[in-house]
Amino acid sequence: MSAPPAVLGVSFAVSVEQGIPSALPSHAIEVDVGVALPTAFGGLRKVLRACEETAPEVVRAVAAAHPSEWNRLFPGSIQGAADLGDLALSPSERRLHRESEQAFWILTVAARAIVETLRVSGRPLVLHGAGECDLVSLRAVMRAAEWARLDGLDGTLLLTGWRMRRPHCAAVFESRRQAYLDALSDRLRVPHASGPGPVSSRRDEPAVDLEGRYLRLVVDASESRESRVAASILAIRQCFFTTNYEGAMLAAEQGLALLDGDPDAQLASRVAQAWDVLDTGFSTPAIEIDKSSLGDVDELKALLHRSMGVVHVFTGAHDAAMESFGRGLECRIPPELVARLHMFRALTLTKRFGQLPNARVEVEAGVAALAKSTAPDRALQEGWLRNVCALTWFQERKLDKALVEEKLAMRCVGDLHDASATHLKINLISNASYLQESARQFSDAIATWRRFESISAKWGVNFSKHHCYRLAGLEFASGARAEAVEHFTQAYASAEALRDSFHRQVIAAELGRMFLDDGKMDSAVDWFARAEQHAREIGEPLKAAESLAGLSLAAGRTDWSEALRCARASSTWPKETQALVDALGRGDAAAVQALLPRPRTKLNRPFDSVSLY
């Protein structure tokens, strides 16, 4: 395949070599980023250590400014830092929601450290063993390349060994990994690899964190069978939070192979004992895997199939996801586990396939299974099923039927107070507000949304950020613009307290558009200037271009050159970028204004700049 065309105004040069090149750029920072195990941040840690050796003051300043993220990369390196989980949202297994604010923050900080090192040192960066690098680390490299183009950095990035493969790979994930590498190549603007290459004999590295420890146990043939099975499930839980899909798949695949070995009546009990030795006691409704998730061998198999299904959904392999959930249903498991697998199948059919009647068939099958259950969580499982059923009716715009299901779901969990039940209740209150919004009953939607304020006075700043934003969006939709500005500004202040430039940029750009549309140019200039600053803080070329374009419109300027340069540096959103480039190129002010972001009623945004599909 030929190399993608050069992009005007972008000086940062990226190239790949399928093998080992005969000559390298002079005075390069050379790093072997290959890893034997697909542990998240494995290759990235090596890059950051090399960056710190090259430009210690710069990298240490980045680390000091972002201690929570740095502690995820280098556990325990900064004392007294807040846990990142208290500041940024994780994915959600129950909602099949893959977006990870935590991963975005980590990869953005790492990318910034790389870019600043290249800027200060003026040296090329050569990453050897790139084909063996974990995908999470490569996403940070991709982020750094786009950031460098935004900054107009005159630098060089070379990746070598692009066709080499690591010794530990999940067979079931091989095609997805290749698709991810091709997507990465497109974003880096380099040719695709010519096909799978040889497997290296690279040895395992020492574990830096729990994820690395668990994955090493999973593949260590000298360890006991029960320890490896327990480690596989614990590794999946860790990989969920680092968005390490290939690591989770390797763990699940190995775990299933171990369970399919020679029959052993005591294996499940020994797995539970091994779990007690390995587990840290961590539990969260974001992914419901703890000791209560264990059971007999069939239940363990079903859990691993469920986990594989979730990863398939997160990576866009939706047919494979349905097959994995189906394999879980083939296991001999209790009714409540049957119901949960039907819930995941229903949610996949709803969110990924749009097959709403088929999704309701899955819901009915799950409810029928629960009729045979006497388990304490029977009502909770039914509540989650009813919640999915409501979603199907909502997507068909049959709001009355959706409301019926939401009420049934709330009835199921009204008297339950564990973490999963609370998680569902929060979803149900939110969904009720969205139903009212869809019916354009904005006053009711606002009143329902404000119920959160009476539930607890201890919501954190991150909750306040999202809560105030939605409240403002509903007020904006209802025509209460003064109230909307007040609450958008409060949401911005919450993002500021969190050092969250991503959401500050979103809110500032939308306030700029709001004031621009209202003809309040001084306010528009102020907010677009803030939006541009935040876009540069997170290295987002398209967002910088939009903010610069809005700033020019509000200030009455017609020079679009810098906005055009920034837009052309973007590789994350090709369709949106091309539309803006075309409008800017024509000097069509009305078209440019129409493309600028407007306020919404939900602050959640995809973190596409660190994702590979």
Side-chain angles (χ1 to χ4, degrees):
M1 176 177 174
S2 60
V7 180
L8 295 176
V10 179
S11 57
F12 190 71
V14 183
S15 58
V16 299
E17 289 284 348
Q18 308 295 346
I20 307 299
S22 56
L24 295 174
S26 60
H27 307 297
I29 304 169
E30 295 185 60
V31 188
D32 178 4
V33 295
V35 289
L37 277 167
T39 305
F41 315 128
L44 184 57
R45 289 184 177 111
K46 298 179 183 182
V47 176
L48 294 175
R49 289 190 190 102
C51 287
E52 188 172 11
E53 290 175 5
T54 303
E57 291 184 3
V58 166
V59 175
R60 288 168 191 167
V62 171
H66 302 276
S68 300
E69 297 92 317
W70 208 257
N71 263 350
R72 286 288 180 93
L73 288 163
F74 301 100
S77 60
I78 300 179
Q79 299 301 313
D83 185 86
L84 187 59
D86 295 333
L87 307 177
L89 298 177
S90 74
S92 171
E93 185 189 50
R94 278 282 196 179
R95 294 187 293 119
L96 287 183
H97 180 72
R98 72 168 185 151
E99 297 297 340
S100 175
E101 187 177 10
Q102 294 175 16
F104 174 81
W105 283 29
I106 294 167
L107 297 181
T108 298
V109 167
R112 180 176 182 179
I114 294 169
V115 171
E116 293 302 320
T117 298
L118 296 182
R119 188 198 318 280
V120 169
S121 70
R123 296 169 61 186
L125 177 61
V126 177
L127 303 182
H128 297 296
E132 298 174 81
C133 188
D134 63 287
L135 288 173
V136 183
S137 294
L138 288 175
R139 286 156 53 193
V141 174
M142 173 185 78
R143 183 85 276 276
E146 187 177 44
W147 197 324
R149 290 194 294 265
L150 169 65
D151 286 1
L153 190 63
D154 185 13
T156 299
L157 170 64
L158 170 63
L159 298 95
T160 76
W162 198 230
R163 291 186 67 243
M164 187 66 71
R165 292 185 295 159
R166 75 168 72 85
H168 296 297
C169 298
V172 72
F173 196 74
E174 275 296 283
S175 62
R176 291 305 298 159
R177 178 177 170 83
Q178 189 58 55
Y180 268 40
L181 289 175
D182 289 346
L184 180 78
S185 297
D186 291 339
R187 294 275 288 278
L188 290 172
R189 297 171 176 166
V190 298
H192 292 184
S194 57
V199 176
S200 79
S201 57
R202 187 181 295 273
R203 303 180 68 176
D204 295 353
E205 302 82 8
V208 173
D209 56 12
L210 281 173
E211 181 179 308
R213 178 191 176 200
Y214 293 144
L215 285 173
R216 285 196 68 173
L217 281 171
V218 169
V219 300
D220 188 348
S222 68
E223 289 288 334
S224 68
R225 186 178 175 191
E226 57 267 20
S227 292
R228 295 174 68 191
V229 171
S232 72
I233 300 169
L234 287 162
I236 288 167
R237 188 173 70 184
Q238 295 299 127
C239 290
F240 177 83
F241 290 98
T242 59
T243 61
N244 182 7
Y245 308 127
E246 56 181 345
M249 279 299 197
L250 174 63
E253 188 175 273
Q254 292 284 319
L256 285 169
L258 289 162
L259 290 171
D260 283 336
D262 295 335
D264 183 342
Q266 300 303 314
L267 177 59
S269 63
R270 291 205 308 274
V271 169
Q273 292 170 4
W275 178 280
D276 288 336
V277 173
L278 297 172
D279 186 26
T280 60
F282 176 76
S283 64
T284 170
I287 179 171
E288 295 174 7
I289 294 180
D290 53 30
K291 189 171 183 181
S292 67
S293 307
L294 308 181
D296 63 23
V297 169
D298 268 66
E299 289 173 72
L300 293 171
K301 288 180 180 179
L303 173 59
L304 291 170
H305 284 304
R306 178 189 104 194
S307 298
M308 292 181 85
V310 170
V311 174
H312 280 311
V313 173
F314 285 177
T315 58
H318 304 134
D319 288 326
M322 292 296 289
E323 291 175 9
S324 289
F325 295 138
R327 290 193 192 100
L329 287 170
E330 292 170 2
C331 300
R332 291 178 295 177
I333 53 178
E336 56 277 7
L337 297 187
V338 171
R340 180 177 292 197
L341 285 162
H342 280 298
M343 189 277 295
F344 280 118
R345 284 173 62 87
L347 201 52
T348 304
L349 288 167
T350 301
K351 287 191 169 184
R352 300 302 191 267
F353 288 104
Q355 296 178 10
L356 306 178
N358 290 345
R360 286 192 287 272
V361 170
E362 295 287 345
V363 169
E364 291 167 5
V367 172
L370 288 173
K372 307 169 189 174
S373 174
T374 57
D377 65 343
R378 191 210 67 79
L380 175 63
Q381 303 306 328
E382 181 179 347
W384 280 108
L385 283 162
R386 297 290 184 191
N387 186 51
V388 177
C389 192
L391 178 60
T392 69
W393 291 122
F394 175 77
Q395 292 197 0
E396 287 188 354
R397 313 301 296 171
K398 295 179 180 177
L399 304 185
D400 54 339
K401 292 187 176 183
L403 185 58
V404 168
E405 293 294 333
E406 291 288 351
K407 288 180 176 178
L408 287 172
M410 185 60 81
R411 192 178 303 166
C412 288
V413 295
D415 296 328
L416 302 178
H417 303 288
D418 60 40
S420 184
T422 300
H423 184 46
L424 176 55
K425 288 177 186 178
I426 291 171
N427 270 270
L428 292 171
I429 294 173
S430 301
N431 293 346
S433 178
Y434 299 140
L435 285 171
Q436 291 161 334
E437 177 191 350
S438 298
R440 303 192 64 79
Q441 299 169 350
F442 295 116
S443 296
D444 291 340
I446 290 170
T448 299
W449 189 248
R450 300 200 82 150
R451 284 178 60 189
F452 283 115
E453 296 166 16
S454 62
I455 292 174
S456 174
K458 298 180 181 178
W459 294 113
V461 178
N462 202 13
F463 173 85
S464 177
K465 176 180 70 178
H466 287 271
H467 178 71
C468 287
Y469 181 90
R470 173 159 174 74
L471 181 58
L474 291 170
E475 290 166 338
F476 176 72
S478 69
R481 290 174 105 79
E483 292 87 346
V485 170
E486 177 186 355
H487 287 117
F488 277 132
T489 305
Q490 287 181 15
Y492 179 88
S494 292
E496 194 158 41
L498 292 166
R499 302 175 290 104
D500 175 7
S501 292
F502 179 88
H503 288 112
R504 275 188 285 183
Q505 197 284 325
V506 168
I507 298 166
E510 292 175 0
L511 278 168
R513 170 68 189 271
M514 186 175 169
F515 285 119
L516 181 65
D517 289 348
D518 288 346
K520 299 178 180 179
M521 299 308 182
D522 288 345
S523 295
V525 165
D526 176 47
W527 284 106
F528 278 127
R530 296 191 203 191
E532 184 211 352
Q533 173 191 342
H534 298 317
R536 292 188 184 278
E537 288 168 356
I538 56 174
E540 291 277 13
L542 179 59
K543 301 307 174 186
E546 291 173 343
S547 302
L548 280 165
L551 188 58
S552 294
L553 288 169
R557 299 196 295 263
T558 57
D559 182 1
W560 309 107
S561 57
E562 178 61 7
L564 261 172
R565 188 196 69 79
C566 290
R568 286 171 175 153
S570 174
S571 61
T572 297
W573 298 284
K575 181 179 178 181
E576 294 84 348
T577 298
Q578 191 59 53
L580 183 61
V581 166
D582 290 346
L584 290 170
R586 297 194 307 271
D588 188 338
V592 170
Q593 184 164 340
L595 290 169
L596 300 182
R598 301 181 77 250
R600 306 186 199 177
T601 58
K602 292 179 70 173
L603 185 54
N604 289 337
R605 299 290 186 277
F607 298 102
D608 288 337
S609 60
V610 296
S611 297
L612 284 172
Y613 90 92

